[in-house]
Amino acid sequence: QEDLRIFPNPTSDKITIAGETSNPFTVTILDQVGRRVLQAEYVGQAIVDVASWDPGVYTVQVDGARNGTFIVQ
């Protein structure tokens, strides 16, 4: 499984999710209680606007990669 790069972390504006592939990939983001707040397909890297999201810890899932987390302040 590949590693995800999630930055900046913590954030209050946008988060970038990058893997080690140029193939399309699906990003799923879950909130602290496991509710899906985003699911979308990206190529190369994902830039997600989280400015309107509630503060907290979010989990990022990408097929074929290790899960990651980030904090919205």
Side-chain angles (χ1 to χ4, degrees):
Q1 289 187 330
E2 70 179 74
D3 290 324
L4 292 176
R5 294 187 316 272
I6 303 170
F7 57 93
N9 191 9
T11 187
S12 58
D13 185 28
K14 290 183 173 64
I15 197 86
T16 299
I17 303 162
E20 299 170 356
T21 181
S22 60
N23 296 326
F25 59 95
T26 301
V27 172
T28 303
I29 299 178
L30 308 173
D31 67 11
Q32 296 178 74
V33 295
R35 288 182 299 227
R36 185 173 58 207
V37 293
L38 179 125
Q39 184 167 24
E41 188 168 296
Y42 297 93
V43 177
Q45 67 180 12
I47 299 173
V48 181
D49 184 352
V50 299
S52 64
W53 294 16
D54 292 334
V57 178
Y58 292 81
T59 300
V60 178
Q61 299 174 335
V62 174
D63 292 338
R66 291 183 178 87
N67 288 354
T69 59
F70 67 93
I71 298 169
V72 174
Q73 294 182 322

